[in-house]
């Protein structure tokens, strides 16, 4: 497994590993950078299923952030500025060579290549690693199907650049699904196809589309339209395997939540569940800004008013 260098991507990969260990006899190797490997070791130690398994291996891939014009000991976006984040993204492509060496070592040790490589969609280069070693790559998108399809199509096609209108269709989506410029990330809004963000996503997403199949952290029941669009857009099998959450994240112990998320929780999970259970069906809207974004208290109040 090759998760991307961010806690929001590492956690679903660990949850996926847990599921695979429970239902198969496979041996799993999760490979990432040294500091992220240390984070995974801590998370594994808190999960009995993972910590007691001899079929889970963690491998640290050589990586020096200073070689990529990043602050020392930087291996995730948590403390980076937006401009540094894209530098981190590009630096992740340096993991291709050590990943190939790791898989080659597994081949030499076991006498056969791994059944497959499961890589983050941001690590599209894993398709080349798989081809070289005689196996297949399965791309894993750690967010939902609708968001993934929108993200891919926007970065690959930049449809807002072809119109002066604030609303525009997006390739792969029904024409009734119109997007608005205000919905776009600031870097998508100004992208022209040659900027650092465009170069990274257009390349890595295109490589991921060459995978044998995709895994998506969602469910068929929740994302009927999203999965339909994503399957049509990718043109390859897309399997929904979510939602992927470590069991400990459903524990009311806030320290457990902090260990998995990397951030202190302001309210226990149990309190959240009790509050949700007190509300009528279909009366709550869930909004996620991802693991790298947040909003201020005044913006939160305005959002609540809507």
């Amino acid at each position: 497994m090759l998760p991307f260098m961010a806690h929001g991507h590492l956690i679903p990969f660990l949850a996926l590993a847990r599921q695979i260990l429970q239902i198969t006899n496979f041996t799993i190797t999760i490979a990432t950078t040294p500091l992220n490997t240390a984070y995974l070791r801590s998370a594994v130690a808190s999960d009995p299923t993972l910590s007691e398994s001899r079929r889970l291996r963690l491998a640290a891939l050589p990586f020096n952030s200073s070689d990529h014009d990043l602050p020392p000991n930087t291996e995730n976006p948590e403390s980076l500025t937006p401009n540094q984040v894209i530098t981190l993204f590009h630096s992740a492509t340096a993991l291709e060579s050590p990943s190939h060496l790791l898989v080659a070592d597994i081949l030499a040790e076991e006498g056969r290549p791994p059944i497959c490589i499961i890589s983050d969609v941001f690590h599209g280069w894993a398709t080349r690693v798989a081809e070289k070693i005689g196996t297949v790559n399965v791309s894993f998108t750690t967010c939902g199907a609708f968001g993934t399809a929108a993200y891919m199509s926007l970065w690959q096609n930049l449809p807002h650049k072809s119109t002066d209108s604030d609303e525009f269709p997006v390739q792969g989506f029904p024409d009734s699904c119109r997007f608005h410029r205000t919905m776009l990330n600031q870097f998508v809004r100004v992208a022209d196809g040659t900027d650092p963000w465009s170069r990274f996503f257009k390349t890595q997403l295109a490589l991921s589309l060459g995978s044998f199949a995709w895994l998506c952290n969602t469910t068929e029941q929740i994302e009927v339209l999203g999965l339909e669009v994503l399957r049509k857009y990718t043109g390859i099998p897309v399997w929904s395997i979510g939602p992927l959450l470590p069991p400990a994240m459903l524990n009311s112990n806030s320290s457990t939540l902090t260990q998995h998320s990397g951030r202190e929780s302001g309210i226990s999970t149990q309190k959240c569940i009790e509050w949700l259970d007190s509300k009528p069906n279909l009366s709550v809207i869930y909004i996620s800004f991802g693991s790298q974004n947040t909003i201020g208290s005044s913006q939160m109040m305005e959002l609540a008013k809507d």
Side-chain angles (χ1 to χ4, degrees):
M1 288 185 173
L2 296 169
F4 192 69
M5 300 185 295
H7 287 172
H9 294 244
L10 294 173
I11 292 171
F13 267 85
L14 203 57
L16 175 58
R18 190 180 197 280
Q19 284 193 2
I20 294 174
L21 290 172
Q22 287 179 317
I23 63 176
T24 74
N25 292 319
F26 296 157
T27 296
I28 301 170
T29 300
I30 303 180
T32 184
T33 54
L35 292 180
N36 284 316
T37 299
Y39 164 79
L40 287 177
R41 290 192 192 283
S42 176
V44 166
S46 69
D47 188 320
T49 299
L50 298 176
S51 61
E52 295 173 6
S53 175
R54 296 183 179 181
R55 293 183 289 113
L56 177 64
R57 304 171 182 172
L58 300 180
L61 301 173
F63 181 81
N64 185 345
S65 59
S66 298
D67 293 340
H68 303 279
D69 297 322
L70 289 166
N73 300 319
T74 298
E75 296 181 14
N76 67 62
E78 296 296 325
S79 59
L80 297 179
T81 65
N83 288 332
Q84 289 175 317
V85 168
I86 189 56
T87 302
L88 177 71
F89 281 19
H90 278 281
S91 74
T93 60
L95 299 178
E96 178 175 355
S97 179
S99 295
H100 177 256
L101 292 176
L102 172 64
V103 180
D105 287 343
I106 293 174
L107 169 60
E109 178 183 343
E110 299 186 358
R112 61 181 180 181
I115 292 174
C116 72
I117 296 173
I118 300 177
S119 67
D120 196 290
V121 292
F122 290 178
H123 290 328
W125 46 260
T127 57
R128 294 194 291 243
V129 174
E131 289 171 359
K132 290 177 182 177
I133 212 69
T135 187
V136 298
N137 180 58
V138 176
S139 290
F140 178 22
T141 173
T142 57
C143 66
F146 191 96
T148 295
Y151 204 72
M152 289 183 62
S153 188
L154 286 168
W155 275 116
Q156 290 195 302
N157 302 296
L158 301 178
H160 56 297
K161 293 297 181 181
S162 303
T163 178
D164 293 328
S165 173
D166 284 337
E167 287 193 348
F168 49 89
V170 173
Q171 184 175 325
F173 285 78
D175 192 59
S176 58
C177 292
R178 294 277 168 156
F179 287 65
H180 196 279
R181 290 182 189 274
T182 56
M183 299 177 180
L184 304 182
N185 177 287
Q186 59 177 318
F187 298 106
V188 181
R189 211 175 299 172
V190 301
D192 61 7
T194 64
D195 58 281
W197 289 84
S198 293
R199 293 201 310 272
F200 176 80
F201 285 114
K202 287 174 76 71
T203 300
Q204 297 308 317
L205 293 176
L207 286 169
S208 287
L209 286 174
S211 300
F212 174 76
W214 275 37
L215 302 176
C216 189
N217 189 9
T218 190
T219 64
E220 300 284 342
Q221 295 86 346
I222 293 176
E223 287 209 271
V224 176
L225 173 61
L227 283 165
E228 178 184 339
V229 171
L230 186 59
R231 286 168 176 146
K232 181 179 179 181
Y233 189 88
T234 61
I236 55 179
V238 176
W239 301 316
S240 58
I241 56 169
L244 291 172
L245 283 174
M249 291 193 74
L250 298 178
N251 192 303
S252 59
N253 187 322
S254 62
S255 63
T256 302
L257 289 174
T258 302
Q259 185 176 28
H260 281 284
S261 68
R263 298 178 182 177
E264 186 65 40
S265 175
I267 186 171
S268 72
T269 303
Q270 185 60 37
K271 288 290 185 183
C272 290
I273 293 175
E274 291 174 359
W275 183 86
L276 287 170
D277 286 342
S278 71
K279 304 301 177 182
N281 289 340
L282 306 178
S283 66
V284 177
I285 298 175
Y286 171 71
I287 301 175
S288 171
F289 294 98
S291 59
Q292 301 306 313
N293 301 292
T294 188
I295 61 176
S297 56
S298 60
Q299 292 172 309
M300 181 66 77
M301 291 305 298
E302 288 300 318
L303 184 62
K305 291 177 183 177
D306 292 339

